[in-house]
Amino acid sequence: MARNVSTGRKLITTVVAWTIGILIFFPILWTFLTSFKTEAQAIASPPVFLFFDWTTENYAEVQSRSDYLKHFMNSVIVSFGSTLLGLLIAIPSAWAMAFSPTKRTKDVLMWMLSTKMMPPVGVLVPMYLIFRNWGLLDTRTGLVIVLTLINLPIIIWMLYTYFKEIPGEILEAARMDGASLSKEIIYVLTPMAIPGIASTLLLNIILAWNEAFWTLNLSAAKAAPLTAFIASYSSPEGLFYAKLSAASTMAIAPILILGWFSQKQLVRGLTFGAVK
Amino acid sequence: MRVPFSEPRRLHTGDAMATLHTRSAARLMIAPSVLLLLAWMIVPLAMTLYFSLLRYNLLMPGMEEFAGLTNYTYFLTDPAFFQAIFNTLAIVLGVLFITVVGGTALALLLDQPMFGQGIVRILVIAPFLIMPTVAALVWKNMFMNPVNGLFAWLAKLLGLQPFDFLANAPLLSIILIVAWQWLPFATLILLTALQSLDEEQKEAAQMDGAGAVSRFIYLVLPHLSRAITVVILIQTIFLLSVFAEILVTTNGGPGTQSTNLTFLVYAQALLQFDVGGASAGGIIAVILANIVAFFLMRMIGKTLEA
């Protein structure tokens, strides 16, 4: 590779790229900084950037005023619950489609994907009524069910693209050695599939954590995950910038960290394997 | 369409018994997903279709009656509907324009050698990982607020009158917020595609005396075309259903100035309790999305064969 780029040009690229990167990231940085200010400093003009009295009182306040931890746990339970349930249903399907494909496998896969194309608002009314009649409104169980269903096609697709990369010869060898189907899955496939499953898990937790149509419409005070809880700051209460920032920082920090670890899988999962 | 894996794998040609066994086992393993998704697709959608033909308001239980296509004519002649269709398209096209052009530029930039590339990548990706309600509220309050927002302070610094974004340009403001969230997605995918471009090809073009511009038009852009199509189609699916950003910033207003189709149906259903009307709107949204989905499926179908 003869990329003989002059140091000067590299320096200029660096400065430009960093400037743009920081500008794009700035709203998040600003939220983080504001979360440690007092309310007065948060709306000070001119704004204070770094030199203010750092305080953590907003975090304590958000928790004591609105039981933040409860909503945080709702998010954890709903996103992990729907992801694990989805994996449980999807792993056998993706495995079967990757290793015992039939003429119809492709059609089945495409059809599964097509369910993802349905705009949620097309089924909002019946889902709301079903939830109301079955007592599922504002319950974590209800949210887990819906999020499992909406993300199931993505989980199956991602697993399928990963499973297909596992060489069939290895399974063949295991079968020759007399491994039964269940043994084949437990001892041969699973260890090789774990990286793919882990990536799928990560991406799906991110998607479920940030899902903001069904969580907003089907939950209220009791089961509201952070998406819905933060939405309550759209009322005049949102004018308390420091508290809004503290609540927001805690809501986005875990996912930012997860997401940064899984950049590559993000591309793959979100394009259904079309771009790797 | 050609089926990519119609050629049986060696795995299954050896033992007919094992194959038969595997086949039925495979069917059993696929069944739960298929049945669940089938139910998820058919049951609610059939209900929506049925409700859309009824006069049915939750505030008047027991008064349901068959109404034919009244809900559709009501919905399709409502001025708010045309505004919503316009707004839906404006959001989709506006965000697509910003993210595809910006994303291509950013991807080209990030593909250059530089110091700390990994960190810049992380900074650029971040907005995509932020939940929509947080993104929208942070922009609304801390940036676009005409009194305390950072933009107001910047305007005053430059001697300008602070601009009330969400009151005077609600749709544009929402487009900007949503574009900020989706720019990383476009950048990330285009960068991934860009990195698979053959380095030697670029060098050969350079040696042949092709300038940066013609290299971009004749080499890079054709290479990116598939990724750009994927970005456009996938974003369109999500952008047709923008909801949370509108709910927490403008609530569809002022008036219906920033109401898109998704928000209109939501308001009809959960604010006015008009089950029939909202269902008709939902069916219209489904039809619109299907037109887009048709093209997306063909795209992804092709990549399966590749």
Side-chain angles (χ1 to χ4, degrees), chain A residues 93 99 110 160 169 241 274, chain B residues 5 10 12 33 141 226 297:
Chain A
S93 305
F99 295 114
M110 292 309 281
Y160 171 78
E169 287 78 11
Y241 290 2
Chain B
F5 23 61
R10 264 190 298 135
H12 307 294
S33 322
N141 290 321
R226 209 180 79 124
M297 302 296 278

Side-chain angles (χ1 to χ4, degrees), chain A residues 3 9 14 18 24 93 95 99-100 106 110 122 126 160 169 210 227 230 241 260 263 270 274 276, chain B residues 5 10 12 22 29 33 48 112 115 121-122 129 133 137 141 153 180 189 192 199 226 234 297 305:
Chain A
R3 262 199 168 183
R9 198 180 144 195
T14 305
W18 274 84
I24 290 176
S93 305
W95 183 85
F99 295 114
S100 308
K106 189 193 165 191
M110 292 309 281
Y160 171 78
E169 287 78 11
N210 289 342
T227 42
I230 301 278
Y241 290 2
W260 283 337
Q263 296 175 31
L270 289 165
K276 280 182 208 167
Chain B
F5 23 61
R10 264 190 298 135
H12 307 294
T22 317
M29 291 194 286
S33 322
T48 309
Q112 306 295 317
F115 300 107
R121 250 179 89 121
I122 281 178
L129 302 167
T133 43
L137 279 178
N141 290 321
W153 170 71
W180 177 72
I189 285 173
T192 309
E199 200 64 42
R226 209 180 79 124
I234 289 176
M297 302 296 278
E305 284 166 30

Side-chain angles (χ1 to χ4, degrees), chain B residues 140-156:
Chain B
K140 173 193 178 187
N141 290 321
M142 287 155 66
F143 287 86
M144 293 174 170
N145 184 296
V147 181
N148 296 322
L150 272 189
F151 288 159
W153 170 71
L154 275 175
K156 274 183 261 174

